[in-house]
Amino acid sequence: MTTASAPGKIILVGEHAVVYGRPAIAAPVWQVQARATVEETPNEACRIVAPQIGLNIRLADAAPNEPLALVARLALGKLGAASPPEWRIEARSDIPMASGLGSGAAISAAVARALFAHAGQELPVETLSQIVFASERIHHGRPSGIDNTVIAWETPIWFVKGEAPQPIRPGWPFTIVIADSGVPAPTRETVAHVRQGWEQDPARYEAWFDEMGEIAAKARSAMEAGQLRRLGRLFDKNQTLLERIGVSSPVLERLIDAARHNGALGAKLSGGGRGGNVIALVEPAIAPLVEEGFRSAGARRVITTTI
Ligand code: MEV
């Protein structure tokens, strides 16, 4: 049996604007992971199983738009398999679904990695990213590609759509507390909502996206220089702009207020918005206070990570 895994992810700054060609920064979250196993099942047709989403199907019978089956077909195609081998592929994840932590992309990445590892072949990171991107298109319609890229690279990245990502080396270990609002993040809807606004008033939206892009550039330099307070202020500014484009919500703002009230240096929604996650930048010593503040404000799950 072969096992492989992939981490969750958060977007630090630049979500939504990244769809319009502006830079964004994302980072892996190792506290949550997806795992996949591949085992030989002689004389049985290739099967793909993901108990958490009720998937248990022969690969040959899976619909073309079943994301994990697409990943398996693409990976096996790249491995040169003429027909599906007699393998059982099973995927599991402790990343909450639709929470903005990239659960779909991580499961896809784990499956592709497990298939390549079982075949004894190296999986180039660009190939992995492309395979995961194909499954992301089923989930989200027209994704920028940031989620599959950060999960494939497994390092903080500076990402511009259509360009090679640049790894970021933080000059300081930044502590981030992540709160899951418990409300599913309707990424497809929020992306469509932003597009509608942009179509109605392109000049105004372009100016907001420019501001978000500038925030991303400053956030990168703050990260590289280890400037904690400056990065915190940039989180807050980015949140104000995300509120303007209509992807925040009262539930998320309640969590953001709780983080700031408990001493966070900055806080914002992360990902598609309207639901999903809020992230707060903190001094390590006050992480427990912010965690507790998040819980009292109704967070379903709280994770503290270091970037
Ligand atoms: C979702 O994780 C991030 C968005 O910017 C969408 C995308 O980049 O495809 C909202």
Side-chain angles (χ1 to χ4, degrees), residues 9 11 14-19 100 142-147 187 190-191 271-272:
K9 70 100 214 323
I11 295 187
E15 51 275 271
H16 287 287
V18 69
V19 175
R142 277 205 274 177
S144 65
I146 191 169
D147 288 12
T187 303
T190 50
V191 169

Side-chain angles (χ1 to χ4, degrees), residues 110-128:
V111 166
R113 282 196 176 122
L115 286 167
F116 270 72
H118 198 72
Q121 284 199 34
E122 212 115 326
L123 173 54
V125 71
E126 288 85 3
T127 308
L128 172 61

Side-chain angles (χ1 to χ4, degrees), residues 69-150:
L70 174 69
V71 166
R73 287 192 186 110
L74 289 173
L76 290 169
K78 289 194 188 287
L79 285 167
S83 58
E86 290 165 347
W87 291 354
R88 183 179 197 275
I89 308 156
E90 182 161 336
R92 283 178 191 275
S93 167
D94 56 26
I95 308 174
M97 273 192 280
S99 71
L101 283 169
S103 64
I107 292 189
S108 295
V111 166
R113 282 196 176 122
L115 286 167
F116 270 72
H118 198 72
Q121 284 199 34
E122 212 115 326
L123 173 54
V125 71
E126 288 85 3
T127 308
L128 172 61
S129 188
Q130 280 165 14
I131 293 174
V132 177
F133 183 65
S135 69
E136 285 291 286
R137 289 182 65 167
I138 300 175
H139 286 296
H140 296 313
R142 277 205 274 177
S144 65
I146 191 169
D147 288 12
N148 49 288
T149 305
V150 67

Side-chain angles (χ1 to χ4, degrees), residues 7-10 12 25-30 113 125 146-147 149-158 165-170 223 307:
K9 70 100 214 323
I10 46 173
L12 293 175
I25 299 175
V29 175
W30 292 101
R113 282 196 176 122
V125 71
I146 191 169
D147 288 12
T149 305
V150 67
I151 283 169
W153 284 73
E154 299 189 305
T155 188
I157 54 159
W158 168 264
Q166 297 173 22
I168 295 180
R169 272 174 213 86
M223 281 175 77
I307 307 289

Side-chain angles (χ1 to χ4, degrees), residues 185-209:
T187 303
R188 195 183 260 275
E189 269 170 44
T190 50
V191 169
H193 172 83
V194 174
R195 183 155 298 270
Q196 224 176 18
W198 176 76
E199 278 166 359
Q200 278 163 12
D201 194 347
R204 181 192 278 231
Y205 275 71
E206 286 292 324
W208 285 335
F209 296 150

